[in-house]
Amino acid sequence: MGTYTQGEQTLAESIVRSLRSGMLLLADRGFFSYRLWQMCADTGADLLWRMKSNAVLSVEKRYPDGSFASHVYPGTKARRNRTDGIAVRVIEYTLDVMGEDGEPVSSVEPTTYRLLTTITDPEAAPAAELARVYSQRWETETPFDELKTHQRGPGVVLRSKTPEG
């Protein structure tokens, strides 16, 4: 929790002190930054974060489960010079948009997901297993969406811009 003026990434930094080895931290694509990734990884916790699909991630080694080894860099120059890279494993998969009948909607392109993880050994955590774990994050997101978007009623905003609120 923070002030109205604090962004999600800034607020996310406050959880770093709570991370420990043996934990798995999931994060949506809006949270990735080299700095935050490094801060969280340095705690020893495992990370599984969604990454924007247009991020430049070179395939350094392809694994049998379809995932691949890569590195993230603090910027373009570092990537070009291959300096300050952090080793990651990348998992890419697509999900079809399903209709009410349970069949894929052919007029809608499937959504591609790209996950980054600090778990670089595919035998320790296969790509399909990590994709399933990540999808469980939506069990939390769906109620938030319901509250913020659908149950608030017309003209009601469920947040305050003042300490009194």
Side-chain angles (χ1 to χ4, degrees):
M1 301 294 275
T3 67
Y4 174 76
T5 58
Q6 288 179 296
E8 286 182 322
Q9 275 211 348
T10 303
L11 290 171
E13 289 181 17
S14 67
I15 68 161
V16 173
R17 66 179 175 267
S18 301
L19 297 175
R20 305 278 181 274
S21 180
M23 292 181 167
L24 177 64
L25 178 64
L26 307 178
D28 201 8
R29 66 183 175 192
F31 286 94
F32 181 82
S33 73
Y34 178 88
R35 181 175 174 272
L36 185 58
W37 179 270
Q38 187 171 39
M39 287 171 61
C40 292
D42 286 348
T43 68
D46 290 315
L47 311 180
L48 180 62
W49 295 11
R50 187 169 171 200
M51 181 75 155
K52 292 180 180 178
S53 60
N54 64 349
V56 178
L57 295 167
S58 61
V59 178
E60 297 170 8
K61 178 181 179 182
R62 181 73 66 180
Y63 297 112
D65 67 356
S67 64
F68 62 90
S70 190
H71 281 79
V72 292
Y73 296 94
T76 305
K77 183 178 179 183
R79 183 176 57 247
R80 186 173 46 248
N81 296 323
R82 296 184 179 261
T83 57
D84 300 320
I86 301 172
V88 296
R89 189 164 132 235
V90 182
I91 299 153
E92 295 178 319
Y93 62 98
T94 58
L95 293 177
D96 290 321
V97 175
M98 306 303 277
E100 290 181 19
D101 60 1
E103 295 296 318
V105 177
S106 60
S107 61
V108 180
E109 286 292 315
T111 302
T112 299
Y113 290 84
R114 178 185 270 181
L115 305 178
L116 294 185
T117 185
T118 55
I119 307 170
T120 55
D121 179 3
E123 290 186 22
E129 182 180 331
L130 289 175
R132 274 192 300 277
V133 167
Y134 185 80
S135 71
Q136 291 174 355
R137 196 184 71 73
W138 288 105
E139 292 178 16
T140 302
E141 288 289 333
T142 302
F144 289 152
D145 174 66
E146 183 69 22
L147 286 169
K148 292 190 303 187
T149 307
H150 306 291
Q151 291 189 5
R152 65 186 180 123
V156 177
V157 177
L158 294 179
R159 68 174 177 251
S160 174
K161 296 180 181 181
T162 67
E164 295 79 26

